[in-house]
Amino acid sequence: MRIHVLALNGVLDTGLAAVLDAFAFANALADMTGVSSLRFKTKVVGLRDTVTTAQGLSVPVTSAVRAQTPDAVVMPAINKIMPEPLLQALASGEVREAGAVLRKWSGRGALTAAACVGTFVLADAALLDGEEATTTWWLAPLFRQRYPRVRLLETRLIVQSNAMVTAGAALGHLDLALTLIRRASPELASVTAKYLVADVRSSQAAYTIPGQLVHTDPLVHKFERWARQRLAEGFSLDQAAAELATSKRTLARRMQSVLGKSPLDYFQDLRIERAVHLLETSQASVDQIAAEVGYAEGVTLRVLLRRKLGRGVREIRRSL
C-alpha cells in the first residue's frame, strides 16, 4: 500500500512523526508476528525540495508534482492553530498547489486523509464538499462557517466518508494512521495500537472546552456569558431571548449556524464543563456538584457524563 505523506512548510512535527512511526511499527510488527497484511510503503512528498517543520527541522521530500498517484495520501496539520494565521496560510500559494495535487490524486482514486488543521486544506480544495468530516475541536465554528457544504461532525475523532478520512486535533494523527492500518488489517491495527499504548478513542467531546471554541459572533458570546451565570437554574429559551434582546428563532438559528447545536445543547455543554472542573478540583460529592450545575440528582449528572464524554465520575477523578 503506497502512502504519500504530503508535508508543507510548518508541518506539525508530532503529526508527521506519528503518521510515519505508526506505519513503520505496523510493518515491523507484521514481520515479527506473521500477521497477514499489506505492507505500507510511505514516502514524504512536498512542493519544495525541503520542508521545514514547525520546530525548525529540515525534512528532505520527494516532489509531489512528479510523484506517482499513491493508494492513499495523508495531509498532516500545519502548525497554524489560531484563525488569523491559519487563514493566511490557506491563502498561500503552497496550500493552493497542495490542493491541486490532492484533487489530482483523489480524482485518480487515491484515498485522501487529513488530521487537525490539515482538514482545512482538504476542505479548501473542495474535496470534502458533500462529505461528512471532523476537524480540530476549537476551530469547528470557523470550519462550519467557511465550508457550509461539508457535514461537520466535530465531536467525532475519526470520520470516514467515501474516499475521505478526517481526524480531530493534533494527536488524532495517530488515530488516523491506525484507521488506515485497520483498513488493511484490523488485527495488525490492534497489535500496533497495543505496542504504541494507544487507546481506542471515538470522540473528542471529552477534550472540548466549550468556552474555547473560536468564533466572533457577538450574540453567541452574549449567550455564553448569560448562560454561565445561570447554570444552577433551569434553562428557558424565552428568558434567554428576552434578556439578549433577540427572538428565539434568531438565537436558535445563530447558535446552530456558529456552533452546530441548539441553545439548550450548548447550555448543557457548559454545565458538563463546569461539573468536570469541580470533579477535578474539589472534593465535593456528586450530588453537591449536580446541584451546583442545575441537576436535581447526582444520577442525572452521572448519566450525562457517560453519554456526552464516554467517562464516568470515577474515571474523571482518577485521571488527576
Side-chain angles (χ1 to χ4, degrees):
M1 186 174 183
R2 292 172 297 128
I3 299 175
H4 289 354
V5 181
L6 179 53
L8 305 184
N9 277 307
V11 63
L12 188 68
D13 296 67
T14 302
L16 178 61
V19 169
L20 295 174
D21 286 345
F23 289 121
F25 261 80
N27 284 336
L29 291 168
D31 291 338
M32 184 178 77
T33 63
V35 172
S36 177
S37 172
L38 295 170
R39 298 303 187 262
F40 305 99
K41 184 178 181 181
T42 57
K43 180 183 293 185
V44 182
V45 300
L47 301 167
R48 308 292 181 264
D49 293 335
T50 302
V51 163
T52 302
T53 72
Q55 297 300 323
L57 303 179
S58 294
V59 180
V61 297
T62 299
S63 170
V65 175
R66 293 193 293 270
Q68 292 184 338
T69 302
D71 298 306
V73 55
V74 177
M75 180 77 237
I78 48 177
N79 191 31
K80 305 294 183 183
I81 62 173
M82 287 293 110
E84 187 173 343
L86 174 58
L87 293 176
Q88 290 175 354
L90 292 173
S92 70
E94 187 179 29
V95 168
R96 287 197 297 271
E97 290 175 52
V101 170
L102 291 167
R103 284 193 298 271
K104 179 182 72 174
W105 287 340
S106 177
R108 294 176 180 177
L111 177 68
T112 307
C116 195
V117 296
T119 58
F120 279 77
V121 180
L122 264 59
D124 235 52
L127 288 170
L128 297 179
D129 285 1
E131 303 287 351
E132 294 181 340
T134 189
T135 191
T136 188
W137 61 261
W138 64 88
L139 291 173
L142 175 63
F143 191 101
R144 181 175 284 105
Q145 178 186 27
R146 189 174 173 89
Y147 310 113
R149 295 182 181 179
V150 182
R151 300 196 297 276
L152 186 63
L153 307 173
E154 68 267 36
T155 60
R156 300 258 295 275
L157 187 59
I158 295 288
V159 172
Q160 301 186 62
S161 183
N162 295 314
M164 302 291 155
V165 184
T166 50
L171 293 182
H173 285 85
L174 180 55
D175 300 85
L176 179 67
L178 289 170
T179 298
L180 299 186
I181 295 167
R182 192 171 293 112
R183 282 179 167 237
S185 169
E187 183 182 1
L188 181 57
S190 178
V191 172
T192 303
K194 286 181 170 63
Y195 270 78
L196 292 172
V197 197
D199 295 329
V200 176
R201 304 176 296 172
S202 60
S203 174
Q204 311 189 82
Y207 309 96
T208 302
I209 306 171
Q212 297 298 314
L213 296 171
V214 176
H215 65 85
T216 58
D217 191 286
L219 182 58
V220 175
H221 280 302
K222 287 179 182 178
F223 176 79
E224 181 185 342
R225 289 195 296 271
W226 176 87
R228 285 189 182 279
Q229 296 170 3
R230 294 165 176 78
L231 295 182
E233 304 173 15
F235 175 76
S236 167
L237 182 59
D238 289 296
Q239 183 185 5
E243 296 211 19
L244 298 177
T246 188
S247 69
K248 294 187 292 184
R249 182 176 180 181
T250 296
L251 179 58
R253 185 175 64 246
R254 293 275 280 279
M255 294 294 293
Q256 188 65 42
S257 173
V258 175
L259 300 181
K261 56 188 62 181
S262 70
L264 176 59
D265 286 339
Y266 188 62
F267 190 82
Q268 289 181 332
D269 286 349
L270 294 175
R271 281 176 160 175
I272 293 297
E273 177 192 31
R274 177 63 179 164
V276 169
H277 173 73
L278 292 172
L279 286 168
E280 292 176 338
T281 61
S282 78
Q283 296 301 313
S285 70
V286 176
D287 286 337
Q288 290 171 324
I289 293 173
E292 186 164 337
V293 298
Y295 297 117
E297 299 179 347
V299 65
T300 303
L301 177 59
R302 290 180 185 274
V303 170
L304 286 170
L305 288 170
R306 180 65 65 181
R307 189 173 72 199
K308 286 183 169 290
L309 306 183
R311 294 190 295 165
V313 171
R314 290 183 180 179
E315 292 166 280
I316 292 169
R317 284 190 151 157
R318 195 165 52 228
S319 68
L320 297 178

